[in-house]
Amino acid sequence: SPSPPLPTHRTDVDCSSDYGSANPYDGGGGGGFVDGCHPLHCNRLVFDNFLDEEGVERLKDIAEKAIEAGRGNGGRAGPTILDINSGYLRDDQGLVNIYESSGDTPIFSPSDFSFYLSVVERIRSAVSSSNGLDPSQPKFTAPTFMTRIRYDETWRPSGMHDVYWMPHVDKENTGHYDYSGLLYLSTQGEDFEEGMFEFLVNDEDRETVEAQVKPERGKLVSFTAGSENLHRVNVVRGGTRYVLSFWFTCDGEKEFGNFLDGEIHRAYGKEGGDGNEL
Ligand SMILES: O=C(O)CCC(=O)C(=O)O
Ligand SMILES: [Fe+2]
């Protein structure tokens, strides 16, 4: 396969001490620094045009098919978050499973799945090579999200899960995340208004902007997932914004091997069975 693309922009940041230690949220698992995988140097990387326009349209089509299967009528305003693997979709009306609500009618074609998988592997490989890691590292892990934010002036959050603009550290939410990858399917200023991505100074206030990244169709933004990379999304004030969020781990036990096998969602209870629910 062709060699992975190089980042268009790179910013180095000092690593936090978050890597390779046991994580209390993971039942104490994930201990130990993995050479060739955990970051010695932390960063923020941007890959312009990582995915071409045709690929962007295919992924948006997959997101829209999922939302239609789960909710109908084009889905809801505000944030709609989907884990394509488990099938759980969350919006301001709550949680549904797209695979359960669609019954025996397939939502996605085999080529949808294989395309999606090929994008995941390309991102993993770009993260690996641009961080100088062992090519088999890091491992793809769960959960992953497709997020659509559709502006509507009357929309208000119906609970904390709707508040998508909170500053956060990805590794604080899910301890085994080591690298984050965000693939944008919409362009700020064209497809939607405001909604910029921002890295913040990680101090007590958590509100000083250090750098902004403009979402653009096909752009990949990757960064180390620890507290050196506190970030947030700004409120969207017009249009529709799509992003895919992927994470990669150095904890071999958290590798997501059965991704998109069409079966994994059966292992989830109605409320989510293994802590990976939305
Ligand atoms: O939507 C974005 O730009 C960022 C999403 C994000 O931070 C996340 O999914 O953890
Ligand atoms: Fe995040």
Side-chain angles (χ1 to χ4, degrees):
S1 57
S3 55
L6 294 169
T8 332
H9 308 279
R10 170 189 287 267
T11 304
D12 294 321
V13 294
D14 291 335
C15 286
S16 62
S17 55
D18 294 352
Y19 298 97
S21 53
N23 167 32
Y25 305 107
D26 276 357
F33 189 93
V34 179
D35 285 325
C37 187
H38 278 119
L40 296 166
H41 304 283
C42 288
N43 57 41
R44 304 159 181 176
L45 311 173
V46 176
F47 301 74
D48 291 331
N49 302 309
F50 183 82
L51 189 66
D52 63 16
E53 194 63 29
E54 189 196 331
V56 166
E57 290 304 318
R58 281 183 81 168
L59 292 175
K60 265 197 319 210
D61 181 58
I62 289 172
E64 283 302 322
K65 284 198 279 195
I67 294 170
E68 194 56 35
R71 189 58 82 202
N73 294 316
R76 304 281 303 168
T80 298
I81 306 174
L82 167 77
D83 178 352
I84 194 174
N85 189 62
S86 68
Y88 280 98
L89 180 144
R90 185 188 277 287
D91 58 21
D92 66 350
Q93 288 198 320
L95 198 60
V96 286
N97 191 295
I98 64 168
Y99 297 119
E100 283 168 18
S101 56
S102 64
D104 290 334
T105 315
I107 303 166
F108 307 115
S109 66
S111 81
D112 287 340
F113 282 131
S114 60
F115 179 68
Y116 195 92
L117 271 174
S118 72
V119 171
V120 171
E121 175 50 26
R122 274 188 62 212
I123 295 174
R124 195 203 65 75
S125 152
V127 167
S128 180
S129 68
S130 56
N131 284 284
L133 310 182
D134 179 308
S136 72
Q137 301 278 19
K139 309 298 186 190
F140 179 52
T141 191
T144 71
F145 301 122
M146 299 182 112
T147 304
R148 182 186 79 179
I149 300 170
R150 196 170 77 199
Y151 176 75
D152 179 303
E153 60 177 12
T154 65
W155 180 85
R156 297 290 178 277
S158 70
M160 273 313 290
H161 57 262
D162 274 344
V163 180
Y164 60 84
W165 52 86
M166 292 292 281
H168 64 275
V169 168
D170 290 348
K171 200 175 182 56
E172 273 173 15
N173 297 338
T174 304
H176 63 270
Y177 289 167
D178 291 311
Y179 296 90
S180 305
L182 302 172
L183 181 61
Y184 290 100
L185 308 181
S186 321
T187 298
Q188 195 269 347
E190 291 179 22
D191 301 313
F192 64 92
E193 301 310 317
E194 307 208 11
M196 289 283 272
F197 177 88
E198 292 175 334
F199 289 106
L200 302 174
V201 176
N202 200 350
D203 59 10
E204 211 144 286
D205 298 336
R206 292 190 147 198
E207 58 187 29
T208 307
V209 178
E210 211 162 68
Q212 279 196 327
V213 183
K214 176 185 156 115
E216 292 186 286
R217 286 188 292 269
K219 180 186 278 186
L220 173 69
V221 178
S222 162
F223 48 91
T224 48
S227 46
E228 68 279 356
N229 280 322
L230 178 72
H231 59 275
R232 73 161 165 227
V233 185
N234 279 294
V235 175
V236 171
R237 300 195 193 276
T240 304
R241 180 190 196 271
Y242 298 84
V243 65
L244 271 53
S245 308
F246 302 100
W247 289 277
F248 305 93
T249 185
C250 299
D251 179 351
E253 288 185 10
K254 297 287 183 184
E255 179 170 17
F256 197 8
N258 43 9
F259 186 57
L260 294 183
D261 67 358
E263 296 294 328
I264 190 78
H265 65 282
R266 297 183 205 285
Y268 288 64
K270 276 259 186 296
E271 298 298 319
D274 68 353
N276 281 339
E277 69 275 16
L278 294 180

